[in-house]
Amino acid sequence: MKLITTIIKPFKLEEVREALADIGVQGMTITEVKGFGRQKGHSELYRGAEYNVNFLPKVKIDIAVNDEQVEEIVHVIQHAAFTGKMGDGKIFIFELQHAVRIRTGELNDSAL
Ligand SMILES: Nc1ncnc2c1ncn2[C@@H]1O[C@H](COP(=O)(O)OP(=O)(O)OP(=O)(O)O)[C@@H](O)[C@H]1O
Ligand SMILES: [Mg+2]
């Protein structure tokens, strides 16, 4: 199993959610987050030492999936979240060791 963590522009959330539902993704968790990438991290020097970083609002989507689904999901997210402008976001993929479906006690692949 893998955990796919994606950071996108907030206005793209609905499009990404629909595209993922269309390919049968069964669950996801979203979080409103703030972050910066290559452009916005840059420091404004302030009184010599302090600096401001501009954190921009983003949405984080976490999806736990079977290994076979990863490629398609990444492709769909990449397409749905794309504007071609800076700040479109990133996709991070982690190994997922265990999953438990609390109501049934199912484990791992069958728990997703
Ligand atoms: N290296 C990173 N580690 C953790 N989060 C990151 C990283 N890079 C980007 N992010 C997150 O993704 C969001 C969007 O990043 P962004 O798309 O601007 O990356 P970028 O590398 O600057 O690419 P681009 O040049 O297309 O803007 C950031 O606001 C931050 O939340
Ligand atoms: Mg950027």
Side-chain angles (χ1 to χ4, degrees), residues 80-105:
F82 179 87
T83 70
K85 302 206 176 93
M86 289 177 288
D88 272 356
K90 303 223 163 139
I91 303 172
F92 303 112
I93 300 169
F94 304 83
E95 287 294 337
L96 181 59
Q97 302 294 333
H98 301 293
V100 179
R101 188 178 185 189
I102 291 175
R103 179 172 63 84
T104 59

Side-chain angles (χ1 to χ4, degrees), residues 7 33-39 56 58 85-90 92:
I7 315 286
V33 295
K34 291 181 178 178
F36 63 84
R38 297 183 191 199
Q39 293 79 25
L56 294 176
K58 300 284 172 183
K85 302 206 176 93
M86 289 177 288
D88 272 356
K90 303 223 163 139
F92 303 112

Side-chain angles (χ1 to χ4, degrees), residues 9-21:
K9 291 175 171 167
F11 83 93
K12 279 291 194 177
L13 176 60
E14 193 50 28
E15 208 174 320
V16 170
R17 189 196 62 75
E18 276 173 23
L20 290 170

Side-chain angles (χ1 to χ4, degrees), residues 45-71:
L45 268 182
Y46 178 67
R47 296 190 179 175
E50 294 175 8
Y51 53 86
N52 281 335
V53 171
N54 296 313
F55 290 102
L56 294 176
K58 300 284 172 183
V59 169
K60 182 171 83 162
I61 307 171
D62 288 313
I63 313 169
V65 295
N66 298 322
D67 288 348
E68 311 82 65
Q69 300 171 275
V70 171
E71 205 175 328

